[in-house]
Amino acid sequence: MTQDGRNVNIPGTGSTGYFGFEVNPRAGYVLSLGNRFQVTPLAGFSLEWWRRDLTGGLQIRNPDGSTATINAGGYVKSYTAFFLQGGVRAGYTVSRDLRLNAMLSLKVPLFISENVDETREGKGEHTLNSAISPRLGLELGASFHRFNSALTFDRWTLAQSPDRRVVQNGQTLVVHQPDSTRTLLGFKVGYAL
Amino acid sequence: MTSRRIVAALAVVSLFAVPELADASPSSPQGSARSRRATPRQHPASATAPATDRPFDLDVSTTLRHFSWTETRQDGSQFVNESGMLFVIGATPKLSLGRERRIVVETGLEMYFGSVGYNGGVQA
């Protein structure tokens, strides 16, 4: 959630819906190092947009042990980030059909925008811009014939955004997006058509 | 006389520039056959071998992704923690260009969706 100057938090649990997409156009050059080893330096851009839906409300626990749903209107955040990216892909050919693959990438955001839509709660919309910080990606896998699989890792901290004044219910608040760290661990399976 | 020297020098240089010709000694039937066909060497590890067999690939994939999102106060304490599994579908069209197909141009496309657990709070 966005953070304002008030330090009183009511803890609660709920669920967050995610929907997003990412586009990574890039180009590189394959270098052969010996019979079986190839290294490909790559460079390009990356665009990611995602929607973070917090409209489900929060379950809080009252002092008497009962639970209640609050903040039922909730809000929706939409993030847009545009990156420069560079990286290197390595491949080791074990046999005619088996190949080991690895990729390391670094993405540097040029632009990060976070749109906070709280109109469900009558608080309007505002936009925050997290500070620039790099994003690291790592992929380790293998391909057999045309099938491939990989373990993927991606970590990115969106650094705290500058403060922004927002009027909510006639009250002026100073809000920001705090340091937010996203960690992705994945298992990918694919097929080359 | 001068032109003979130039032709001789070019012949010597050509032995280094085109190694196949150096193997084409008259005493070697294989070598003379190769020189007549003038085919380049096709060793996979040679610098002239294609980097890939296919000029175009379309890689389709699915990923099961564990997602974690934490928000941290200025004093270092965490006050939002989201985690759960997301589902990802992806496609990467890839072109391998150039005589040796060493220039790679690709676009990774991914779409993800799902719902994760939220552990945080509201300010009041």
Side-chain angles (χ1 to χ4, degrees):
Chain A
M1 65 181 174
T2 50
Q3 183 86 353
D4 60 36
R6 300 168 297 175
N7 284 319
V8 180
N9 285 316
I10 301 171
T13 59
S15 67
T16 307
Y18 275 92
F19 174 74
F21 67 84
E22 187 169 1
V23 182
N24 285 292
R26 56 196 171 205
Y29 189 83
V30 180
L31 301 168
S32 292
L33 304 176
N35 290 351
R36 297 171 179 268
F37 193 54
Q38 288 185 329
V39 174
T40 309
L42 293 157
F45 300 95
S46 180
L47 174 69
E48 183 173 3
W49 175 91
W50 75 97
R51 183 177 191 268
R52 187 173 170 222
D53 188 337
L54 294 143
T55 57
L58 284 181
Q59 291 283 328
I60 62 165
R61 186 172 292 278
N62 293 317
D64 63 2
S66 63
T67 58
T69 300
I70 63 167
N71 200 30
Y75 52 93
V76 174
K77 293 185 172 186
S78 300
Y79 298 77
T80 305
F82 184 70
F83 306 84
L84 269 179
Q85 66 163 305
V88 62
R89 179 186 292 142
Y92 181 79
T93 304
V94 178
S95 66
R96 179 181 167 82
D97 287 328
L98 180 63
R99 184 179 165 89
L100 305 179
N101 305 302
M103 182 162 171
L104 178 70
S105 67
L106 187 70
K107 297 179 179 178
V108 178
L110 300 177
F111 169 78
I112 306 170
S113 167
E114 174 186 344
N115 178 265
V116 185
D117 180 358
E118 297 181 290
T119 51
R120 286 176 176 80
E121 295 190 325
K123 296 177 182 174
E125 284 186 53
H126 56 273
T127 300
L128 301 170
N129 298 97
S130 291
I132 300 302
S133 59
R135 173 179 168 188
L136 180 72
L138 180 64
E139 193 168 315
L140 295 171
S143 57
F144 181 74
H145 194 51
R146 291 189 181 182
F147 294 94
N148 61 76
S149 65
L151 294 172
T152 63
F153 171 81
D154 186 296
R155 189 174 175 91
W156 182 28
T157 294
L158 289 82
Q160 181 173 312
S161 69
D163 287 341
R164 185 176 179 87
R165 291 182 182 279
V166 176
V167 177
Q168 292 184 339
N169 300 329
Q171 184 184 7
T172 301
L173 298 172
V174 179
V175 299
H176 62 255
Q177 175 68 31
D179 283 350
S180 305
T181 299
R182 188 179 74 171
T183 307
L184 310 174
L185 274 171
F187 178 65
K188 179 166 81 171
V189 292
Y191 184 80
L193 298 173
Chain B
M1 191 64 179
T2 306
S3 61
R4 282 185 185 176
R5 283 181 182 166
I6 292 172
V7 170
L10 287 174
V12 171
V13 168
S14 69
L15 293 179
F16 294 97
V18 187
E20 285 79 6
L21 295 179
D23 296 336
S25 63
S27 60
S28 163
Q30 278 186 331
S32 58
R34 262 195 289 175
S35 65
R36 279 196 301 272
R37 279 187 259 117
T39 52
R41 288 188 290 189
Q42 296 294 325
H43 299 197
S46 75
T48 56
T52 177
D53 293 336
R54 292 147 57 100
F56 177 75
D57 268 322
L58 176 62
D59 193 64
V60 293
S61 64
T62 63
T63 304
L64 194 58
R65 175 182 285 173
H66 183 266
F67 174 94
S68 165
W69 175 273
T70 57
E71 296 182 3
T72 309
R73 285 195 186 94
Q74 285 171 317
D75 64 8
S77 60
Q78 287 184 6
F79 67 101
V80 170
N81 194 337
E82 295 177 348
S83 68
M85 302 304 292
L86 298 180
F87 189 68
V88 187
I89 55 175
T92 304
K94 183 171 116 178
L95 277 172
S96 298
L97 306 171
R99 191 167 58 89
E100 298 168 18
R101 296 181 194 144
R102 290 182 181 274
I103 300 168
V104 177
V105 180
E106 64 184 28
T107 300
L109 307 164
E110 281 189 342
M111 185 179 76
Y112 56 88
F113 51 90
S115 183
V116 302
Y118 177 92
N119 190 345
V122 290
Q123 289 191 302

